[in-house]
Amino acid sequence: MDRRFFLFVFLAMTIFMGWMAILQRLQPPPPPGGPADVADAAADGDVGEAPAGPDAGEIDAGRVNDPSAADASTTAPAERDIPAAPAEAAEATAAKFPLLRPTLGSLDPGSRQRMLVTFNTRGAAVEMIELTDRRYLDVVDRSGYLGYLALADVEEGDGCRVNAVGHGTPAAAAGLQVGDVILTLDEQDVVDVDDFHTRLRKRRPKQRVTLGVVRDGGPQELTVDLIRRPVSIVRPEYLTKALNTTAGATHDPLSFLLTLDSVGDRDFDRLLNDGVDLRTVNWELTTEDAEAGLVEFRYAVPQTQLVAIKRYRLEPGESDVGEDPLARAYHLTLELEIENRGSQPQTVAYRLDGPTGLPTSGWWYANKIQREWFSAGGLRDFARQLSEGTFTLAGSAAIADADAEEYVQRQMPVDFLGIDALYFAAMLIPEKDAETNWIAESRPVTVGSLPTKDPPPARLTNVTCRLISQTEKLEPQKSLQHTYTVFAGPKQSKLLRQYGPPGRVEQRNLSSLIYYGLTLFMYVAIPLGWVLEMFAHLNLGYGVAIVCLTIVVRLGMFPISRKQALGAIKMQELAPEMKRISEKYKNDLEKRSKALQEMYRKHNYSPLSGCLPLFIQMPIFIGLYKSLQTNINLRGAPLISDSIRWADNLSAPDMLLRWDSWMFFSDYTGFLGPYLNILPLVTVALFLWQQKLFTPPPTDEQSAMMQKMMKYMMFFMGVLFFKVPSGLCVYFIASSFWGIGERKMLPKPPPKDAQTAVAEKPQREPPAKEKPTASKSESAKPTTNGQGGKRKKGAKKKGKR
């Protein structure tokens, strides 16, 4: 038995190490040039006294303007021709057009806007998109938030200059304006941008701070009520760390950059050699109308007679966020126009890049469901749906590790394409009919860079999409005009179904971004998700809603689970007889099998009766798992209260205690994670208890060994599922308590002695025939073989002697 046990341990460790090797193969650490490290900002001393969150990738990591940082990173292996923006590049063209950051939309939850968008005249790009709905908050950074200010150091002296103020932010409500210089925070001098953000991170939402600013040479004092940071769908970053400013900072390329792919006989490389790159120069801001929701940029392309125009439109919803949070208002309209101002015809093609810097929250514990077996999953995946029906979801790890040519499509009409994150997405939807195709090529592109020291998992790669248009001939004074809808919002099924190609929204919408795995699981997961939302809308909280959903599922499965429990009880009753048969036919497997089958028929019992309920329940339980795994409403939903940091995000582990400083295999890339999670331990303990109640006593050495293996397998499963979301643990705990309660309420099996008697009774010898009745004189004589009182009398005499 000991030899078998050690063999089991050896095989289990071999399987575990093999599985880790497969994961390493599927998700290898990138070579120099893969994604950047998302180190924990709190561990690096980067967040002041703010509590450490589960994902430092969303913590505002400050500026990265150290030249050595740029030297320590290299280009990713996939195609990447957009250089990281150096700190001095924006100022180089400021003499022609100033570097400005206009905004559209609002962060005010009482407005009709669903997002606040910050633009950048460098490349006429989108720098930041923040969601207005207070349900979608940053699950990592719990410090106070003023708004995205794009601060820059003052050239002479201390302080920092404000370069952006969005409508509806605390900064705008306090009266802060672009151009103000912040000198003090709560009467403490501010040295530079990093010093300001370090001090601000020590504040909490709902706190009030005082800013000392200088405006037009005069000092002013502003009082600001801080809020909690909203989630950013698009954000600036470098080395996969979110930046709190791009002013004077090296950063990855921003979103929706446009440049020319060819002009006449000059291809893209020749245009770059000639200095024609619209992505790295400042465009002219010709229109900024917040009321009309319009921002327009223009740029006269040098060495050509072409003028490029980009217009962004943001339309508000028909009602405010509270009345209709999922209205069709999570989008920008991007209009591209290229005018030929010359006197000769010209052939032109452009390339348009998509969104960058989508959220990576949960990268160390989350598992995004992939559509291909053994595919290297990511957190920011390239998604594309062709008009002929093919849907592609390429993991960011695969894009960084493989040749990008594998995912290139040429001369194929596209319904939509973009980047798909765990709970959010940003998609480009060409506004054209099914017969029109102006797209010559679509592909994923790696835009992020990484440090060579301690490279992180490849699935953190910052990727985007790219469109290259068909070459078109422009007559003099004519223009090329294309329009795209830019969706940027949460992956809510009701919302996604409202976006798709014109005329085919009902059939070809963005709802395909939500994936539950096999179709069978989808049919189970969607109705269970409806039930969960029904309980959540009763203001019970999602923790209680999960418990209620578990009760509904277990009630529906009660007939099957009851049959399974009764089968386990019957198995316990038959255990002694099975043991006797196993001992009797120890060396004859055929006779033992026949004897067991005869016993099963005699007692009307099928050993497979306990397996059938498991096969029926398995799709339901897996579907429920998928439903909870993809439900965005669990993101940031607390188990108890927002004021308690433990289990404050049901889509993440409960994170009771941080232990990565002293525990083995507990860093962000380890299989235990940096936090001690208590809910998985409670789940495993309940599983062991439930297993003990349902498992019959062993009848031989082999069954005893199997039960011991199952017990140790539970501990093994506890290690594998140590980082599962706390919402799933709540379901498992509630389901286990229900199962234990069911087992306790069912009739208990007879005592062991009674079972033994039942097992032995059929095997007794038939009683001997009764002898003729003896006379009274003979019966009065005590005999050693007498029965009843005579046996007792003999025993009594024996005692006297």
Side-chain angles (χ1 to χ4, degrees):
M1 178 176 177
D2 293 338
R3 183 168 55 187
R4 293 180 181 178
F5 172 71
F6 286 116
L7 178 61
F8 163 72
V9 174
F10 173 76
L11 292 176
M13 292 302 298
T14 303
I15 293 172
F16 176 74
M17 297 302 294
W19 174 246
M20 296 300 293
I22 292 174
L23 290 180
Q24 186 75 6
R25 179 67 177 172
L26 294 177
Q27 300 180 3
D37 182 20
V38 185
D40 181 59
D44 295 340
D46 208 310
V47 294
E49 298 177 359
D55 180 12
E58 286 209 6
I59 294 181
D60 213 310
R63 302 173 301 165
V64 183
N65 52 14
D66 185 0
S68 62
D71 295 338
S73 61
T74 56
T75 303
E79 178 187 353
R80 181 181 184 276
D81 54 46
I82 315 175
E88 299 78 15
E91 286 77 3
T93 58
K96 184 174 183 180
F97 297 119
L99 181 61
L100 303 174
R101 293 176 176 84
T103 63
L104 290 178
S106 174
L107 272 188
D108 183 5
S111 68
R112 292 162 52 193
Q113 302 288 353
R114 300 302 188 268
M115 61 180 70
L116 173 63
V117 186
T118 303
F119 302 92
N120 193 318
T121 55
R122 185 174 186 267
V126 173
E127 186 165 323
M128 176 84 80
I129 297 179
E130 300 170 284
L131 296 188
T132 303
D133 195 335
R134 302 304 294 168
R135 295 182 301 170
Y136 309 122
L137 301 173
D138 195 309
V139 295
V140 177
D141 188 359
R142 297 301 185 98
S143 60
Y145 185 60
L146 272 171
Y148 181 66
L149 305 178
L151 298 174
D153 291 334
V154 179
E155 296 179 0
E156 297 182 359
D158 296 340
C160 47
R161 187 180 305 278
V162 177
N163 290 303
V165 177
H167 180 72
T169 61
L176 196 66
Q177 298 180 9
V178 174
D180 289 350
V181 177
I182 301 176
L183 297 179
T184 63
L185 175 62
D186 286 337
E187 300 181 353
Q188 294 181 342
D189 293 339
V190 174
V191 179
D192 54 18
V193 174
D194 294 334
D195 179 55
F196 175 79
H197 283 284
T198 299
R199 296 177 185 276
L200 187 62
R201 290 190 190 101
K202 300 177 182 179
R203 284 22 179 212
R204 296 292 175 267
K206 299 182 180 180
Q207 286 187 353
R208 178 169 294 180
V209 299
T210 302
L211 299 178
V213 304
V214 174
R215 181 182 302 164
D216 298 331
Q220 294 192 23
E221 188 174 276
L222 304 177
T223 302
V224 186
D225 293 322
L226 302 178
I227 63 173
R228 187 173 163 187
R229 180 186 292 270
V231 68
S232 301
I233 303 296
V234 167
R235 63 186 184 183
E237 67 176 51
Y238 186 61
L239 305 181
T240 69
K241 286 185 177 181
L243 302 179
N244 53 40
T245 183
T246 57
T250 302
H251 58 84
D252 290 342
L254 299 179
S255 299
F256 308 112
L257 293 173
L258 172 73
T259 192
L260 297 179
D261 188 72
S262 65
V263 177
D265 60 350
R266 292 189 294 175
D267 60 8
F268 178 76
D269 293 332
R270 185 176 173 184
L271 288 172
L272 288 182
N273 293 333
D274 293 342
V276 178
D277 190 354
L278 280 62
R279 303 168 297 184
T280 58
V281 295
N282 288 5
W283 292 43
E284 179 185 7
L285 177 62
T286 56
T287 303
E288 181 183 3
D289 191 341
E291 294 293 332
L294 173 64
V295 170
E296 182 181 280
F297 303 92
R298 287 176 178 261
Y299 186 76
V301 183
Q303 306 177 35
T304 68
Q305 297 294 321
L306 302 175
V307 174
I309 303 172
K310 292 176 72 174
R311 299 185 189 91
Y312 295 94
R313 301 182 186 273
L314 180 62
E315 297 180 4
E318 297 180 357
S319 58
D320 59 34
V321 178
E323 293 181 5
D324 189 5
L326 298 180
R328 193 183 186 278
Y330 286 88
H331 67 277
L332 285 165
T333 300
L334 171 59
E335 300 174 1
L336 303 181
E337 185 175 355
I338 300 177
E339 296 181 354
N340 181 7
R341 299 267 180 101
S343 58
Q344 299 295 326
Q346 298 192 67
T347 57
V348 177
Y350 67 83
R351 59 173 58 189
L352 174 66
D353 290 340
T356 64
L358 268 75
T360 57
S361 60
W363 68 271
W364 59 273
Y365 60 81
N367 291 309
K368 193 166 180 285
I369 304 174
Q370 298 297 309
R371 295 174 181 263
E372 298 180 3
W373 292 97
F374 304 110
S375 62
L379 293 175
R380 296 187 281 200
D381 299 339
F382 168 75
R384 175 184 58 205
Q385 181 168 290
L386 301 178
S387 298
E388 49 88 14
T390 303
F391 184 88
T392 301
L393 187 68
S396 52
I399 297 172
D401 187 55
D403 185 2
E405 290 295 325
E406 178 182 352
Y407 305 104
V408 175
Q409 286 289 348
R410 295 182 174 88
Q411 305 301 329
M412 296 294 292
V414 174
D415 284 344
F416 59 82
L417 81 166
I419 304 302
D420 177 38
L422 188 60
Y423 294 113
F424 302 93
M427 294 288 150
L428 278 168
I429 306 173
E431 291 294 321
K432 61 179 183 59
D433 54 38
E435 290 74 24
T436 304
N437 179 36
W438 64 63
I439 298 173
E441 179 180 305
S442 61
R443 65 164 64 210
V445 180
T446 301
V447 296
S449 55
L450 73 143
T452 57
K453 181 181 178 182
D454 299 327
R459 64 190 189 132
L460 286 172
T461 305
N462 189 8
V463 299
T464 188
C465 62
R466 171 169 297 165
L467 292 174
I468 299 179
S469 71
Q470 304 275 8
T471 301
E472 295 192 22
K473 183 178 180 180
L474 293 183
E475 298 293 336
Q477 308 303 317
K478 298 295 183 179
S479 65
L480 174 155
Q481 297 181 4
H482 292 161
T483 303
Y484 298 87
T485 296
V486 180
F487 171 82
K491 290 167 63 176
Q492 295 272 15
S493 179
K494 179 181 177 182
L495 177 64
L496 296 177
R497 287 196 299 268
Q498 303 178 59
Y499 289 93
R504 293 168 292 159
V505 175
E506 295 184 0
Q507 300 83 16
R508 313 296 300 277
N509 50 60
L510 298 184
S511 62
S512 55
L513 296 176
I514 300 179
Y515 184 62
Y516 297 99
L518 299 178
T519 305
L520 176 62
F521 301 150
M522 179 187 69
Y523 288 129
V524 176
I526 293 178
L528 292 179
W530 294 340
V531 176
L532 178 65
E533 293 302 318
M534 179 187 69
F535 286 119
H537 288 163
L538 299 178
N539 295 324
L540 300 177
Y542 275 94
V544 179
I546 292 175
V547 175
C548 295
L549 175 63
T550 306
I551 294 174
V552 170
V553 173
R554 293 307 300 253
L555 279 174
M557 300 299 298
F558 178 73
I560 299 176
S561 59
R562 181 177 180 273
K563 185 177 181 180
Q564 181 183 6
L566 291 176
I569 294 175
K570 189 69 173 178
M571 194 71 173
Q572 293 183 17
E573 295 177 357
L574 299 177
E577 189 171 352
M578 294 172 61
K579 182 177 181 181
R580 185 192 63 78
I581 294 175
S582 298
E583 291 176 353
K584 184 176 180 180
Y585 303 105
K586 188 174 184 179
N587 298 322
D588 194 336
L589 296 179
E590 184 178 357
K591 289 184 178 181
R592 182 172 62 182
S593 177
K594 290 182 179 180
L596 289 175
Q597 293 297 328
E598 181 65 28
M599 182 199 67
Y600 292 150
R601 283 194 296 269
K602 178 180 178 181
H603 295 279
N604 192 25
Y605 173 75
S606 173
L608 298 179
S609 61
C611 300
L612 181 60
L614 290 178
F615 284 112
I616 297 176
Q617 295 179 63
M618 192 61 65
I620 297 176
F621 290 151
I622 295 179
L624 179 59
Y625 176 89
K626 300 294 186 182
S627 177
L628 296 179
Q629 188 181 22
T630 57
N631 194 329
I632 187 177
N633 293 324
L634 297 182
R635 179 188 179 275
L639 176 61
I640 301 174
S641 172
D642 286 325
S643 59
I644 301 176
R645 288 305 306 269
W646 175 71
D648 61 348
N649 180 8
L650 290 175
S651 67
D654 58 277
M655 296 178 285
L656 176 67
L657 174 68
R658 184 159 185 171
W659 63 357
D660 57 334
S661 60
W662 52 270
M663 185 66 180
F664 295 108
F665 308 110
S666 61
D667 58 356
Y668 277 98
T669 57
F671 59 86
L672 290 180
Y675 291 90
L676 168 64
N677 306 312
I678 194 65
L679 290 181
L681 301 180
V682 175
T683 302
V684 171
L686 290 174
F687 282 170
L688 290 172
W689 186 13
Q690 196 172 10
Q691 183 183 13
K692 183 178 180 181
L693 291 176
F694 277 83
T695 304
T699 58
D700 52 19
E701 183 179 348
Q702 184 178 3
S703 60
M705 186 62 192
M706 287 296 297
Q707 290 186 15
K708 186 172 292 188
M709 290 172 61
M710 291 299 297
K711 183 182 299 184
Y712 286 103
M713 188 62 69
M714 282 296 177
F715 290 103
F716 185 66
M717 295 289 289
V719 174
L720 290 180
F721 293 99
F722 190 70
K723 296 187 294 185
V724 298
S726 53
L728 292 174
C729 288
V730 171
Y731 160 72
F732 286 132
I733 291 172
S735 182
S736 297
F737 273 120
W738 181 280
I740 292 171
E742 274 186 356
R743 183 65 179 83
K744 290 293 186 180
M745 294 176 62
L746 291 175
K748 297 182 179 180
K752 187 175 182 180
D753 294 340
Q755 295 179 25
T756 306
V758 171
E760 294 177 353
K761 185 176 180 180
Q763 307 299 330
R764 289 178 181 175
E765 296 294 334
K769 293 183 179 180
E770 295 184 0
K771 295 182 179 181
T773 306
S775 62
K776 288 185 178 181
S777 59
E778 293 177 350
S779 61
K781 295 179 181 181
T783 61
T784 56
N785 295 329
Q787 298 184 17
K790 299 180 179 64
R791 178 178 294 176
K792 294 180 181 179
K793 185 176 180 181
K796 188 175 182 181
K797 289 181 179 181
K798 186 177 180 180
K800 287 182 180 182
R801 287 195 297 269

